[in-house]
Amino acid sequence: AQSVSQHNHHVILSEAASLELGCNYSYGGTVNLFWYVQYPGQHLQLLLKYFSGDPLVKGIKGFEAEFIKSKFSFNLRKPSVQWSDTAEYFCAVHSGTYKYIFGTGTRLKVLA
Amino acid sequence: EPEVTQTPSHQVTQMGQEVILRCVPISNHLYFYWYRQILGQKVEFLVSFYNNEISEKSEIFDDQFSVERPDGSNFTLKIRSTKLEDSAMYFCARSGGASDTQYFGPGTRLTVL
């Protein structure tokens, strides 16, 4: 069965620290990959997505992610986090059916 | 980003009661989805809906659940007889095509007592 793993469940960083959140998926075919962010009390918002082409994708608010096909990974990065990045981050995979498969999420807390 | 609104934002109900959650997509997108997120767990797919038919559903989406788009606008999820384990946040999503990006609503928090 298809699955998405996010190994970091809780991350605490100080402002200006660099961020990398891991995402691995299990599916051998063509995939579309997404990172969504959920700020406290708000809905899921799309941060960035990968469909094809350049495996390094840039999203909103300075986030980027790299698709490494050989590692089945799509890790999210940001060089310097801000307090306002405190949120829960979800990786999702779309692989030809209608549904998205989500990871368990990573709660990021940025200390001012 | 195109919007989806959901009503109510919070619904409290007694076990065994029927609930209807509503989604109003503010666009002409044709593909609709329901997901749920039990507190502390991952977001799980329930059902997708296109052209007034269910196109895919998960194991969670049993006979207690139904979806419809009765007036061509609102997209509803009905739970006929709620159980304690139905307590969750329910998200509606929509997309322009089956392979397009899905945009999510703010969710309805359902609490079953």
Side-chain angles (χ1 to χ4, degrees):
Chain A
Q2 300 164 20
S3 66
V4 178
S5 299
Q6 291 182 244
H7 305 294
N8 316 102
H9 298 296
H10 290 91
V11 174
I12 301 175
L13 294 172
S14 298
E15 273 195 315
S18 65
L19 170 72
E20 181 160 3
L21 302 182
C23 173
N24 288 90
Y25 63 94
S26 64
Y27 182 70
T30 301
V31 294
N32 296 330
L33 298 157
F34 306 82
W35 275 97
Y36 284 84
V37 60
Q38 188 176 30
Y39 297 103
Q42 297 189 29
H43 64 284
L44 289 164
Q45 298 176 34
L46 181 68
L47 262 184
L48 49 76
K49 60 186 178 183
Y50 172 80
F51 279 20
S52 64
D54 189 343
L56 183 62
V57 293
K58 295 191 183 300
I60 60 172
K61 305 185 182 187
F63 286 90
E64 64 178 32
E66 185 175 12
F67 170 52
I68 303 179
K69 189 174 181 179
S70 61
K71 294 185 178 180
F72 298 91
S73 70
F74 189 57
N75 292 354
L76 181 71
R77 299 194 293 247
K78 185 171 184 178
S80 176
V81 295
Q82 301 172 314
W83 176 80
S84 57
D85 293 325
T86 294
E88 190 158 15
Y89 293 81
F90 293 92
C91 180
V93 171
H94 186 213
S95 59
T97 65
Y98 294 92
K99 64 184 177 187
Y100 281 15
I101 298 173
F102 283 84
T104 51
T106 297
R107 286 186 186 274
L108 171 65
K109 184 176 178 64
V110 180
L111 305 175
Chain B
E1 181 176 298
E3 293 181 4
V4 177
T5 62
Q6 291 184 240
T7 60
S9 57
H10 192 187
Q11 174 91 47
V12 181
T13 189
Q14 295 291 325
M15 191 169 56
Q17 295 297 304
E18 175 184 284
V19 295
I20 297 176
L21 310 182
R22 290 183 172 80
C23 172
V24 183
I26 305 178
S27 75
N28 58 356
H29 284 187
L30 300 176
Y31 291 81
F32 304 98
Y33 314 83
W34 283 102
Y35 291 79
R36 79 172 185 191
Q37 183 182 26
I38 295 172
L39 186 64
Q41 299 186 25
K42 69 170 85 174
V43 177
E44 301 174 291
F45 170 78
L46 291 177
V47 65
S48 61
F49 189 83
Y50 168 69
N51 201 26
N52 289 321
E53 289 185 353
I54 290 174
S55 44
E56 186 179 1
K57 61 182 181 179
S58 71
E59 296 171 349
I60 303 168
F61 194 86
D62 61 21
D63 292 344
Q64 291 299 315
F65 291 89
S66 63
V67 289
E68 62 176 3
R69 200 176 178 210
D71 56 7
S73 176
N74 290 304
F75 176 51
T76 63
L77 174 69
K78 181 191 293 185
I79 309 174
R80 293 196 222 314
S81 178
T82 51
K83 297 176 280 200
L84 295 175
E85 53 264 39
D86 293 327
S87 294
M89 185 74 105
Y90 289 81
F91 293 103
C92 172
R94 49 120 187 109
S95 66
S99 300
D100 290 351
T101 302
Q102 294 179 18
Y103 294 97
F104 288 78
T108 293
R109 181 169 295 286
L110 176 65
T111 302
V112 182
L113 303 176

